[in-house]
Amino acid sequence: MQSIGIDDILDMESRKRAAFINCLSGAKATNLIGTQDKQGRTNLSIMSSAFHVGATPPLMGLIIRPDPVPRHTLHNILETGYYTLNHVNQDILSAAHQTSARYDKDESEFGATGLTSQFVANIPAPFVAESAIKLGLKLVHHQELAVNKTHLVIGEIQTVLLPEDAVADDGHLAITEHGSVAVTGLDTYHELQPIARFKYAKVGQPVELLGE
Amino acid sequence: MQSIGIDDILDMESRKRAAFINCLSGAKATNLIGTQDKQGRTNLSIMSSAFHVGATPPLMGLIIRPDPVPRHTLHNILETGYYTLNHVNQDILSAAHQTSARYDKDESEFGATGLTSQFVANIPAPFVAESAIKLGLKLVHHQELAVNKTHLVIGEIQTVLLPEDAVADDGHLAITEHGSVAVTGLDTYHELQPIARFKYAKVGQPVELLGE
């Protein structure tokens, strides 16, 4: 075992530090965030920072980092109050990764990558047609975090688009059956192989697999 | 394709809604959070809400939900200002899941599950000896989120414990080689199978695999 302290971390070259620290939280969701500005110019950006905030009401968080480069996604979310979150699957993985290139505001990542924008219901933001599981979100909270000037964005889920019969009676949605992938660090994508589904744990009882 | 709207979601039975919404963000990291109170009583709790906040300084976030049941982890973090985050691997998966049972404050999840507490460096919180990748964190930000009364906790990484030679020259840490797993929803665990590692994306250039 080795130990790497905060001084060692701060001494690392900045790209090395970013790669290293991004690995430490563990597996991350891989999503495409779809937005548009008031002029209807669409934007699509791969993000690995989505996290569950709560079910009642249904809320999801995102961390969007500050940058010398303009952050179109954040600007559009604040301007329109809406955005979409689309699970990345294996079929669109390289197109999804390509959205991380620094396109101009006038060039949509949809056109540049070949992904198809889709407008559904009353959400004024583009969904990704090729994604199997996708959410329309309304902004309900935004703050700049004082600790490092990143932006915390929390959205309320307005609509969920997904394949017929995808949700089990108990509410579980087998996202792996629809190709959703994970990312570790900045650039390494993974398929998810189910290994166990456990029953609710109780004191004094051994862990049991669900269905046994 | 089917569409599930927010009214449908709010009409769901509460456990079904919790299971469903927890699936929607995608893959989640699976970590054990280690804490102790001022009397040295240890606590260990499985959590899937850790997320990357930034690399400089190295920061990680956690969402801890409110509950009628006492939240020992949050109490201990606020009392001591420190906690550990330990990657769950396949060998300790059922023990890790068992920490979600509602143990009394007087019964440590370490003793109850057979996991081994380990104290390292100057972090006044227990690490999990059986975990290959583990972090010692110092609390730097806490707030109750007005949107749903969950708690946002942000910690600065003070120390990283990991196997010798685990970090590549470019900073990447292959967490899957050390058995780190992912979770979807509330109870379904997954192994991570690498499928692609891409180069930094650039406008006008096709996506390329790293190393090609």
Side-chain angles (χ1 to χ4, degrees):
Chain A
M1 192 179 77
Q2 65 174 316
S3 166
I4 299 177
I6 185 165
D7 294 337
D8 305 318
I9 292 170
L10 294 174
D11 281 346
M12 288 179 181
E13 184 273 322
S14 69
R15 280 174 300 182
K16 178 174 178 171
R17 180 171 53 244
F20 178 57
I21 301 300
N22 266 280
C23 292
L24 295 179
S25 56
K28 298 184 287 187
T30 312
N31 292 301
L32 284 162
I33 306 299
T35 57
Q36 64 180 7
D37 66 12
K38 279 192 172 163
Q39 287 75 49
R41 291 181 295 185
T42 59
N43 186 277
L44 192 64
S45 182
I46 193 166
M47 291 201 186
S48 61
S49 66
F51 56 93
H52 175 81
V53 173
T56 313
L59 299 173
M60 194 151 308
L62 273 181
I63 296 289
I64 303 181
R65 69 191 181 95
D67 204 286
V69 179
R71 309 307 288 184
H72 303 151
T73 298
L74 180 63
H75 174 270
N76 291 349
I77 292 173
L78 297 179
E79 187 167 284
T80 68
Y82 285 88
Y83 54 108
T84 70
L85 181 147
N86 308 268
H87 283 212
V88 173
N89 58 55
Q90 293 205 42
D91 293 340
I92 59 171
L93 186 53
S94 60
H97 184 76
Q98 183 62 23
T99 66
S100 63
R102 294 186 171 178
Y103 291 99
D104 245 33
K105 193 163 179 103
D106 285 328
E107 182 173 13
S108 173
E109 290 80 3
F110 282 103
T113 63
L115 293 168
T116 312
S117 63
Q118 180 188 28
F119 286 85
V120 176
N122 297 316
I123 305 295
F127 291 86
V128 176
E130 292 84 356
S131 173
I133 297 167
K134 38 203 167 190
L135 319 180
L137 294 127
K138 181 169 104 178
L139 177 68
V140 294
H141 178 81
H142 166 246
Q143 79 184 92
E144 188 183 80
L145 293 170
V147 285
N148 71 344
K149 310 285 185 204
T150 53
H151 294 263
L152 169 65
V153 167
I154 299 178
E156 185 185 64
I157 299 170
Q158 303 298 299
T159 191
V160 183
L161 304 174
L162 70 182
E164 298 287 345
D165 305 322
V167 184
D169 289 344
D170 63 4
H172 191 68
L173 170 61
I175 64 171
T176 54
E177 290 176 14
H178 305 285
S180 301
V181 302
V183 62
T184 65
L186 293 169
D187 53 17
T188 306
Y189 297 93
H190 304 264
E191 189 179 6
L192 295 157
Q193 295 282 4
I195 48 176
R197 186 171 181 199
F198 291 128
K199 288 185 186 168
Y200 193 85
K202 291 184 176 166
V203 171
Q205 294 185 17
V207 170
E208 288 181 86
L209 292 170
L210 199 76
E212 292 197 349
Chain B
M1 193 179 78
Q2 64 173 318
S3 166
I4 298 176
I6 185 167
D7 293 339
D8 305 319
I9 292 169
L10 294 174
D11 280 347
M12 287 178 181
E13 184 273 323
S14 70
R15 280 173 301 181
K16 178 173 179 172
R17 181 171 52 245
F20 178 57
I21 302 300
N22 265 281
C23 292
L24 295 180
S25 56
K28 298 184 288 188
T30 311
N31 292 301
L32 284 162
I33 306 300
T35 58
Q36 64 180 7
D37 66 12
K38 279 192 171 162
Q39 287 74 49
R41 291 181 294 186
T42 60
N43 185 277
L44 192 63
S45 182
I46 192 167
M47 292 201 187
S48 60
S49 67
F51 55 94
H52 176 80
V53 173
T56 314
L59 299 174
M60 192 149 313
L62 272 182
I63 297 289
I64 303 181
R65 68 188 181 95
D67 203 286
V69 179
R71 310 306 288 182
H72 302 150
T73 298
L74 179 62
H75 175 271
N76 291 350
I77 291 173
L78 297 179
E79 188 167 285
T80 67
Y82 286 89
Y83 54 108
T84 70
L85 182 146
N86 308 267
H87 283 211
V88 172
N89 59 53
Q90 293 203 43
D91 293 340
I92 59 171
L93 186 52
S94 60
H97 183 76
Q98 182 64 24
T99 65
S100 62
R102 295 185 171 180
Y103 291 97
D104 251 25
K105 195 166 179 104
D106 286 328
E107 182 172 11
S108 172
E109 289 80 3
F110 282 102
T113 63
L115 292 167
T116 311
S117 64
Q118 179 188 28
F119 286 84
V120 177
N122 296 318
I123 305 294
F127 292 85
V128 176
E130 292 84 357
S131 173
I133 298 167
K134 38 204 168 191
L135 319 179
L137 294 126
K138 181 169 107 177
L139 177 68
V140 293
H141 178 80
H142 166 245
Q143 79 183 94
E144 187 183 81
L145 294 170
V147 287
N148 71 345
K149 310 287 185 201
T150 52
H151 295 262
L152 169 65
V153 167
I154 299 177
E156 185 184 65
I157 299 169
Q158 303 300 299
T159 190
V160 183
L161 305 174
L162 70 183
E164 298 287 345
D165 304 322
V167 184
D169 289 344
D170 63 4
H172 191 67
L173 170 61
I175 64 171
T176 54
E177 289 176 15
H178 305 285
S180 300
V181 301
V183 62
T184 65
L186 292 168
D187 52 18
T188 306
Y189 297 93
H190 305 264
E191 188 179 7
L192 295 157
Q193 294 282 3
I195 48 177
R197 186 172 181 199
F198 292 128
K199 288 186 185 168
Y200 194 85
K202 291 185 176 167
V203 172
Q205 292 186 17
V207 170
E208 288 182 87
L209 291 170
L210 199 77
E212 294 199 348

